[in-house]
């Protein structure tokens, strides 16, 4: 399952991913696309319907993507430009550029733009960026994205600013300049600077847990009221200057986030398209049952927007379990699975579920190469799977294997589809359905007492490092890491370090592609599909666009039609 199922505050549904060259996203009914930018106007109230009870607006605690809710309230040093039909690119946000590397990529320097202010009119200064990042190290403000914590020099022993200390590897020589000194060359630091901890927090603010309810806004909107489990109201930050911000349109006057809504009820409301729901869109993905209903409702079908691609869904094979230690046995799984049946279990149809996957680097990510080391029909090649098992000394098959799945987001049905396919080849499994906490403890903990699981993954930013490093780096085994295959290959670890240290994205992409192939030769996971995410919106919503990455609409550009 996708870790964001229970961590990411943008959505409570699994799927990314992690997820995802970059192509235009598809509307579920291409003949009737969502209104584009020419149809939207400034003004009005936008409604966002969410199944979450809490909207996390503290940048230290948030795992929001750069183009979702947090980006409406907080700016960062860099951001993402997402357009239909064009690649996702990193763009300057509070900074004048996307960062200037030196010392081979171990040092990065940013300069702040003129006329960037908080909602109270106070200028944003470089020290605020430094303090916001330092604040994310405090024990009381954990839970957010933490790539910077492993990369900033001296960060391993740093405990945050509330004990009177500063992180020396973040330097602020003047109010507009900030310098980061890293432990290693890191070409993706320009993307790291777009993650939530790089939002400014005025020094001395955000000292208690209530900051999520009353954050100091730097984006086009500020919080006017926050009722847990009910709603969050946002209004304009009059000091936000569109001339300094190419990532955000800032079109609606007000935004109301309705919390605690049931997922199926959200879909029913948007299908009905009545009252304020005409000016609303859903945060959770549309569930398979509602997708089937929408296909027979032409007006609603015209308002369903589906990503072209998204997260990689895959079967994890725990390489440290005796039955799965032999690579030839693991390769048999590549042929035994029925990817077509997994598509049906996921979304009811191949079109809505997503295309069949054969690689680890998802669509929309630089460095992705299309290849298939284990060519088979969509339904699998059972005889080839049996042949590999015989060659490995298992003429009578293997099992039963412990197959653990998460108890929500249709994962039991998905697991049953995989289970039935494996049985055809003589691979017997026992399906164990657990809740999110148990799944998390089991597959990311240190003991690893399971054989199989089904997961999905989409990177936190559009770089292959997010596809490969969290899932296959030896350092990510146990201790909460997401190397759930418990896969360890020193050559892969070396390629990960080499790719991350390469500043040129084209050259880095070549190294990531090499790592992708090497991992697949060892077969620690079985790629299933590149998932597609479907979202529904009201008839008065315009500029509702999903790019090639990520598989989510760009909240920052949504407006209301004239």
């Amino acid at each position: 399952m996708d870790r964001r199922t229970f961590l990411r505050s943008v959505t409570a549904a699994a799927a990314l991913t992690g997820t995802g060259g970059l192509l235009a996203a598809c509307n579920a009914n291409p003949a009737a696309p969502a209104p584009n930018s020419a149809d939207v106007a400034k003004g009005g109230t936008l409604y966002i319907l969410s199944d979450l009870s809490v909207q996390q607006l503290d940048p230290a605690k948030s795992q929001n993507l750069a183009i979702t809710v947090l980006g409406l309230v907080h700016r960062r040093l860099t951001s993402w430009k997402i357009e239909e039909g064009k690649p996702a690119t990193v763009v300057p946000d509070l900074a004048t550029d996307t960062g200037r590397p030196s010392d081979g990529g171990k040092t990065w320097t940013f300069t702040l733009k003129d006329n960037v202010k908080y909602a109270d009119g106070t200028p944003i200064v470089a020290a605020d960026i430094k303090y916001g990042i330092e604040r994310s190290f405090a024990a009381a403000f954990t839970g957010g994205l933490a790539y910077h914590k492993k990369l900033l020099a001296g960060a391993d022993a740093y405990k945050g600013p509330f004990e009177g200390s500063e992180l020396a590897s973040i330097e602020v020589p003047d109010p507009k300049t900030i310098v980061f000194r890293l432990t290693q060359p890191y070409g993706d630091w320009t993307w790291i600077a777009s993650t939530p901890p790089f939002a400014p927090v005025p020094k001395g603010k955000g000292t208690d847990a209530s900051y999520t309810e009353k954050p100091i806004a730097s984006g086009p909107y500020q919080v006017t009221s926050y009722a847990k489990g009910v709603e969050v109201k946002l209004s304009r930050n009059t000091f936000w200057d569109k001339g300094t911000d190419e990532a955000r349109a800032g079109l609606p006057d007000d935004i109301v986030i309705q919390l605690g809504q049931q997922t199926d009820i959200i879909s029913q409301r948007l299908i009905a398209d009545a009252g304020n729901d005409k000016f609303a869109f859903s945060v959770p993905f549309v569930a398979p049952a509602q997708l089937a209903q929408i296909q027979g409702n032409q007006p609603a079908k015209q308002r369903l927007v589906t990503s072209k691609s998204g997260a990689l869904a895959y079967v994890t094979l725990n390489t440290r379990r005796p039955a799965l230690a032999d690579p030839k046995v693991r390769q048999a799984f590549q042929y035994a699975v029925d990817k077509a049946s997994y598509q049906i279990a996921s979304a009811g149809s191949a079109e809505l579920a997503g295309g069949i996957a054969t690689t680890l680097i998802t669509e929309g990510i630089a460095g992705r190469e299309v290849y298939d080391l284990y060519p088979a029909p969509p339904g699998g090649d059972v005889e080839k799977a049996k042949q590999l098992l015989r060659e490995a000394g298992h003429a009578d098959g293997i099992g039963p294997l412990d197959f653990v799945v998460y108890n929500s987001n249709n994962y039991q049905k998905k697991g049953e589809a995989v289970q039935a396919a494996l049985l055809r080849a003589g691979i017997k499994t026992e399906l164990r359905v657990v809740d999110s906490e148990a799944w998390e403890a089991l597959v990311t903990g240190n003991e690893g007492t399971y054989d199989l699981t089904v997961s999905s993954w989409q990177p936190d930013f559009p770089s292959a490092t997010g596809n490969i490093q969290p899932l296959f780096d030896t350092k990510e085994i146990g201790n909460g890491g997401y190397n759930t295959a418990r896969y360890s290959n020193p050559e892969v670890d070396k390629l990960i370090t080499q790719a991350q240290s390469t500043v040129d994205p084209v050259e880095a992409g070549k190294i990531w592609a090499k790592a992708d192939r090497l991992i697949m030769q060892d077969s620690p996971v079985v790629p299933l599909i590149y998932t597609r995410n479907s979202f529904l919106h009201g008839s008065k919503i315009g500029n509702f666009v999903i790019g090639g990455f990520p598989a989510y609409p760009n909240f920052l550009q949504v407006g209301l039609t004239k």
Side-chain angles (χ1 to χ4, degrees), residues 215-230:
I216 310 299
S218 53
Y221 299 97
Q222 60 183 322
V223 177
T224 52
S225 66
Y226 191 118
K228 290 180 180 178
V230 182

Side-chain angles (χ1 to χ4, degrees), residues 11 52 124 156 191 199 211 267 270 293 305 357 367 380:
T11 180
L52 300 173
I124 297 169
D156 53 343
W191 291 108
Y211 191 69
S267 294
L270 292 174
Q293 179 183 354
V305 179

Side-chain angles (χ1 to χ4, degrees), residues 332-352:
F333 282 75
Q334 304 287 348
Y335 295 99
V337 295
D338 182 343
K339 298 181 182 182
S341 69
Y342 189 87
Q343 289 174 314
I344 301 302
S346 296
S349 73
E351 179 186 8
L352 292 173

Side-chain angles (χ1 to χ4, degrees), residues 262-274 277 289-290 293 536:
Q262 294 184 30
T263 303
D264 57 343
I265 299 300
I266 290 175
S267 294
Q268 295 300 330
R269 287 172 55 180
L270 292 174
I271 289 171
D273 196 40
D277 291 340
Q290 278 72 46
Q293 179 183 354
L536 193 59

Side-chain angles (χ1 to χ4, degrees), residues 67 85 100 181 205 224 237 267 295 475:
I67 61 169
R100 303 181 297 280
R181 301 196 184 279
K205 300 293 184 180
T224 52
N237 166 12
S267 294
Q295 297 312 300
K475 296 191 295 292

Side-chain angles (χ1 to χ4, degrees), residues 130 134 153 158 166-171 179 181:
K130 174 179 168 69
E134 291 175 337
Y158 185 63
E166 296 185 4
L167 187 55
S169 53
I170 306 177
E171 302 172 4
V179 181
R181 301 196 184 279

Side-chain angles (χ1 to χ4, degrees), residues 83-100:
E83 297 178 286
E84 191 169 7
K86 296 182 180 180
T89 56
V90 62
V91 294
D93 193 353
L94 290 173
T96 57
D97 54 31
T98 58
R100 303 181 297 280

Side-chain angles (χ1 to χ4, degrees), residues 390-419:
R390 287 194 300 270
E391 292 174 2
H394 301 285
D396 296 327
I398 60 171
L401 303 177
D402 181 28
F403 187 1
V404 60
V405 296
Y406 177 53
N407 68 350
S408 186
N409 301 315
N410 213 35
Y411 267 96
Q412 181 170 346
K413 187 175 181 181
K414 296 172 186 176
E416 289 170 350
V418 173
Q419 182 182 44

